[in-house]
Structures are given as C-alpha cells and as structure tokens.
Amino acid sequence: MLMTLFLIAVVVFVVAYKTYGAYQKKIYELDDTRETPAQCMFDGMDYCPAHPAVLLGHHFSSIAGAGPIVGPIAASAMFGWLPAYIWVLVGSVFFGGVHDMGAVVASIRHRGLSIGEVVSQWIGKKGKRLFLCFTWLALTLVIAVFLELAAQTFAADPAVAFSGILYIFLAMIFGVAIYRYGVSLKVASVIMVPIILGAVFFGSYNPWVQSAFKMGIDTWRWILVVYIFAASVLPVWLLLQPRDYLASYLLYFSLFIGAVGMLFGSQFDVKLPAFTGFTNAGGEFLWPLLFVTVACGAISGFHALVGSGTTAKQLRKESDAVLIGYGSMLTEGLVAVIAIGTIMIAGGMLKGGPTVVYGAGLGKFSALIGIDPRVGTSLGLLALNSFILTSLDTATRLARYQLQEFFDMKLDRYTATAIGVAVAMGLIFWKTGNKPVWLLIWPVFGASNQLVAALSLMTVGVWVMKGLKKSANFVMIPMVFMLVTTVAALFLLIKANLTNPIICGISVLLLVLAVLLVKETWSVLSKKDQTPTTPA
C-alpha cells in the first residue's frame, strides 16, 4: 500500500511539473533575457543572484516548516489517510504550486517586492496597508510558534541541538567561501554536507554533546532570538541563504529515507483506516476542517510571503521560477505523502503528537538501510527542526520586509526586526491563566494562513487579468475555493470559542481585514481598465 501511494504521488507530481508548470511558464511569458531584480537591483544585502541549487535549498527549506508534516498527520488522524492524501495531491498541483509560482513571478515583475506591493500597484494603497497588516500579524505568530517549537526540539535532543548550532556557524564559513573567495559550490557542498550529517551520528552517542548541549528551554529561546535577529539583518548571502541551503540536504536525506520506507516497507502493516467518516471524534465536519488542517501540505499563504520576500530577490533568471516556485511545492507535497505514511504505520496519533509520529516513522524507515533506529529518529527530528528553523529565520526577515514596506521603507532593518521579534517574544512569555498567548491563538493560524493564500491568489489573479491581459481562471478558481473554505473555518472557530475573547477578537479582525481587501479588489475588477501606480 505504501509503495503504491508513493509511486502514484511521484507520477502525478512529475507529470504536473512537465505539463502544468510549462503551461504557467507560457502564461507568464518567462524570458531569461529579461533582467531579474537580483541582477538589476543588486545590493549585496537582500538582492543577490543565487545558483538555482542554492536558491532551491533556501526556498524549499523555508516554505516547508513543520506544516507538511504536522498538518497531514493531524488530518489523517481525524478523518483517515485517504482524504488527506487526495487533497495533498490535488492541492499541491492545482492550488499550492500555482500559488507559489504566481507569487514568485509577480514579485520579480514588481522589483522583487512583496505581494503587498503588487496589491498596492493593482488594487490600491489602501489594499496594500490592509494586506501588510494581515500578513505581518500572521508572521509574528509564525515567529513565536516556530521559535517555541525549535527551542523545544533543541531542549529535547542534545544531538539535534548540536547539529543545528554547528551548521549555523558552518553556513557563515560556507557563504564567505562561496561569495568572497570564489570556492566552487560543488567543492564547498562536498566538504560541508558530510560534516553536518556526521554531526547527527556523532551527537547521538558522544557523552560530551549529550551533556554540554542539554540546556533548558528558556536558554534555547534566547539563543534562538540572537540567531534570528542576525539572520534578518545580516547580508542574505552570509547566513540565511547558505544555512538554508545546507539545511536542505538534511531535508533531502530525510526525503530519501522516507522514500525508501514507502517503497520497501512492505513489512510495515497499515494500521490507520483509509476513511473514518465525514465528521471527526469532536463532531467537526471534514469541510472545511481538513483543508485548513493539512495546510502547508497542499497550499500555504506563508509560501507567497517567502516567494515574494526573500526568493524573488535572489532569482538569477526568470525560468528558474518554475523549479523554485512550482517544483518546491510539489516536493513539499511528497514530504506530506511520506508524513501520511508514518501515521499509517503508527495506526493513529502517538503521545507527543505529530512530531513523535514522524520521528518514530523515520526511525523505522531508516532501519531498512542499516541505520540504527535511534539515529534515524534523531535524523527525523533534526530534519523536522531544520524545517522549523529555516521557516523561523525566513519569517523573521519577511516580517522585517513587511514592516519596512508598510512604512514606505523609512524604517531601518534593525528597528523593524526588533519590533517583530519583541512582539513574538511577548506572545511566548505573556500568559493568560496558565497558558501562553501563542498557544491560545494557535488555532487561528491554520485558517489565517490559508486566508493569506486566498488573498495572494486573488492579487496574482488581478495582475494577470489587468497587467498581462490574460485569463486568470487557473488562479481565480483555486482562490474562490480557498476564500470560501477559510472564511467558513474562521466562522466555525468563532462559534466554538465564544467564551474566548482572544481567539474571537483575532478571528474577527482577520475576517474584517479580508472582507475589506476583497471589497477593494472587486471595485478594481469592476473597472474596465486599470493602470498600475508604478510600471510593472
């Protein structure tokens, strides 16, 4: 069963990349003779042309986060593995991939600025303000949650902490070697990648590592605060880009182990039912809950912020948008399929949640190629931590971009970063009762993230229709579905939490911002012609 599901997914994604990716390339008229912002606006800080392999590593590891693992596992536990599997395939091809590639292309055609700037030029400055408020709030929540999750994984496994800290320093050496001393990318990769992978094996058994890196969660929180601040303000080639590139090899390696497990794990019994019903144990319906729970495994608004934030500023040529934008989402869909495979053999949610399910599954899969399950589990957790950490550092830089654009670039990068990090730390340390605020508002994240995706699709669609003068059905049909689904999810969330003023208040705020932005968009689409305030 695992082999069949995996092979179907691979075939679907490969065919989609070759056909639907080419279709979108034609729609956008990608032209490698046209200079990208990374070339014509090069500044050595944010705008910096990157080798496709390096940028793919940065983009893929940044967009993945914990979403394609946690979401599909949670959804499978609620409704069975089949609905989650189908949505991952359909969503990745026709929703998430379209969304991600559209965001990258729209950004490079608008000076490498965020989707908020595309909103400004084609929908209006009021729309831009609304969108940036929406996305900045979502990003500060991402920073808070991912910082907490990263600190938890570091505190739980010293081997993971050792490896994670090691490749932060190696990344800076890597960046200097490549960009300042002209060392070949292949040579640097051959040296650095084995060191990072070997660190997991070394850390799993070395007593010094187990002792020296066993620190409390508060200590790791503040160490990570220093790291994400540096990752936001330092030149992108020095820390963020090379760290994410090196981290991507951990993700590729875990993807390899997952593929081996799915293809050759016939001895693993599938214990999870394919379908358990249209309602879960709590009486919640499959729609819209399944779609906002799977989240990043099929489509995620966070991807548009990454694509139009850091990625578009590093794209070396336009045609790379197919690989980076569309290809990365399809690869993430494959990660989600493997995550579904781990809960299929687990039979349900294990104590400790989706991360434990995934780690245990990767441990079993790794045994098939002779790796000690203990080390395999550490590799799985390190890969998961890499997903989280790369999303964390990228989210911090993105929040800085969003805030600077909101204030028309009059805010310096240090102040903009400090504000975002301070708000995120406030969400972690501010408690209501015995629970931190971030934990109370986390249920809003799934719906708000998908709502960002719907609004990003809407923005790309307006640009395609008004700017490129072409049909945008391939963008607008997914947009309508995601908009209706996420608005319904927010209404249900409000209904279920009427006694919780924090969740209700934030949900209502997000709904109001979304409605106002849709209203602005409708007024633009109702006009016969629209000229951007700045040439695209």
Side-chain angles (χ1 to χ4, degrees):
M1 178 63 74
L2 295 180
M3 177 189 290
T4 302
L5 295 178
F6 187 76
L7 289 176
I8 289 173
V10 170
V11 170
V12 168
F13 291 153
V14 169
V15 171
Y17 182 81
K18 293 292 186 181
T19 58
Y20 210 48
Y23 167 75
Q24 293 171 78
K25 180 180 179 180
K26 183 178 179 181
I27 289 288
Y28 294 127
E29 299 176 359
L30 300 184
D31 182 1
D32 288 343
T33 64
R34 184 189 287 119
E35 282 194 328
T36 64
Q39 296 171 318
C40 63
M41 299 177 66
F42 175 81
D43 62 5
M45 174 59 69
D46 297 318
Y47 291 86
C48 180
H51 189 284
V54 175
L55 188 54
L56 177 65
H58 160 71
H59 183 80
F60 172 55
S61 55
S62 294
I63 66 171
I69 294 170
V70 173
I73 289 176
S76 297
M78 292 178 189
F79 302 105
W81 59 262
L82 185 58
Y85 177 79
I86 293 173
W87 174 234
V88 165
L89 264 58
V90 175
S92 296
V93 172
F94 297 108
F95 289 72
V98 171
H99 166 273
D100 292 13
M101 183 173 169
V104 172
V105 177
S107 180
I108 62 174
R109 295 287 176 78
H110 293 79
R111 308 187 309 284
L113 297 176
S114 75
I115 286 291
E117 188 60 32
V118 183
V119 173
S120 176
Q121 293 184 26
W122 293 100
I123 299 176
K125 292 191 178 296
K126 182 179 178 182
K128 171 188 174 180
R129 302 287 185 190
L130 292 169
F131 186 84
L132 290 178
C133 283
F134 193 104
T135 54
W136 188 80
L137 288 171
L139 282 169
T140 54
L141 178 57
V142 169
I143 295 169
V145 174
F146 282 9
L147 190 146
E148 186 68 9
L149 291 176
Q152 287 176 6
T153 54
F154 276 2
D157 193 332
V160 173
F162 170 69
S163 302
I165 295 299
L166 178 65
Y167 70 66
I168 287 174
F169 288 102
L170 288 177
M172 299 183 74
I173 297 173
F174 184 91
V176 171
I178 294 292
Y179 290 101
R180 286 292 180 263
Y181 292 98
V183 176
S184 164
L185 177 64
K186 291 181 180 179
V187 171
S189 299
V190 167
I191 294 173
M192 295 294 188
V193 172
I195 293 175
I196 293 171
L197 292 176
V200 182
F201 292 85
F202 177 77
S204 295
Y205 297 104
N206 186 274
W208 174 79
V209 170
Q210 293 294 320
S211 174
F213 285 82
K214 190 172 184 60
M215 292 184 276
I217 191 170
D218 278 339
T219 302
W220 284 119
R221 283 172 180 158
W222 291 110
I223 291 174
L224 288 171
V225 164
V226 173
Y227 164 66
I228 61 175
F229 189 92
S232 176
V233 301
L234 289 175
V236 70
W237 58 266
L238 179 60
L239 179 55
L240 184 71
Q241 183 196 88
R243 201 210 72 84
D244 290 355
Y245 168 70
L246 291 175
S248 70
Y249 280 93
L250 290 167
L251 311 182
Y252 298 147
F253 188 65
S254 68
L255 195 59
F256 167 73
I257 292 176
V260 169
M262 297 290 284
L263 291 172
F264 304 106
S266 57
Q267 69 268 41
F268 300 125
D269 295 327
V270 175
K271 303 174 184 177
L272 188 73
F275 183 58
T276 58
F278 289 98
T279 57
N280 65 7
E284 298 168 299
F285 289 98
L286 185 145
W287 184 88
L289 185 60
L290 172 79
F291 302 93
V292 297
T293 302
V294 170
C296 306
I299 181 172
S300 166
F302 179 65
H303 296 189
L305 306 184
V306 174
S308 68
T310 57
T311 301
K313 294 178 176 65
Q314 301 173 65
L315 206 70
R316 192 170 65 176
K317 56 183 181 179
E318 287 199 350
S319 62
D320 287 346
V322 183
L323 172 66
I324 307 300
Y326 198 58
S328 289
M329 183 61 237
L330 299 182
T331 306
E332 185 165 344
L334 208 56
V335 173
V337 168
I338 292 171
I340 291 172
T342 62
I343 193 171
M344 288 172 68
I345 64 174
M349 194 67 74
L350 301 177
K351 184 178 180 181
T355 57
V356 174
V357 171
Y358 180 74
L362 263 288
K364 292 178 180 178
F365 289 163
S366 64
L368 296 175
I369 55 175
I371 297 177
D372 185 328
R374 174 186 171 185
V375 176
T377 299
S378 288
L379 281 169
L381 290 174
L382 179 60
L384 179 59
N385 181 265
S386 296
F387 278 127
I388 293 170
L389 204 58
T390 48
S391 293
L392 171 62
D393 55 28
T394 301
T396 308
R397 199 175 186 100
L398 292 174
R400 188 253 285 183
Y401 289 156
Q402 303 286 300
L403 204 58
Q404 285 183 297
E405 287 185 23
F406 184 87
F407 289 103
D408 300 319
M409 306 307 291
K410 295 176 182 177
L411 202 62
D412 66 88
R413 64 181 185 273
Y414 301 102
T415 304
T417 299
I419 292 172
V421 172
V423 171
M425 292 303 288
L427 293 175
I428 291 174
F429 288 108
W430 177 28
K431 293 186 177 181
T432 300
N434 294 322
K435 290 186 177 181
V437 171
W438 76 264
L439 192 59
L440 290 174
I441 63 178
W442 178 242
V444 182
F445 174 72
S448 65
N449 183 41
Q450 303 306 78
L451 196 50
V452 170
L455 298 176
S456 297
L457 283 168
M458 182 175 68
T459 303
V460 172
V462 172
W463 168 60
V464 170
M465 287 187 288
K466 295 290 186 178
L468 302 183
K469 308 295 183 182
K470 295 183 177 182
S471 170
N473 288 340
F474 75 105
V475 175
M476 297 305 260
I477 292 173
M479 181 277 292
V480 171
F481 178 81
M482 294 310 301
L483 186 63
V484 173
T485 298
T486 50
V487 167
L490 280 172
F491 272 117
L492 291 176
L493 191 63
I494 292 170
K495 181 181 177 182
N497 293 275
L498 290 175
T499 58
N500 188 323
I502 295 177
I503 290 181
C504 282
I506 293 176
S507 298
V508 169
L509 175 61
L510 294 176
L511 276 174
V512 170
L513 289 173
V515 169
L516 290 174
L517 187 54
V518 170
K519 180 176 177 293
E520 291 293 310
T521 303
W522 180 255
S523 67
V524 168
L525 291 176
S526 299
K527 298 176 182 178
K528 291 184 178 181
D529 188 41
Q530 175 75 7
T531 302
T533 56
T534 305

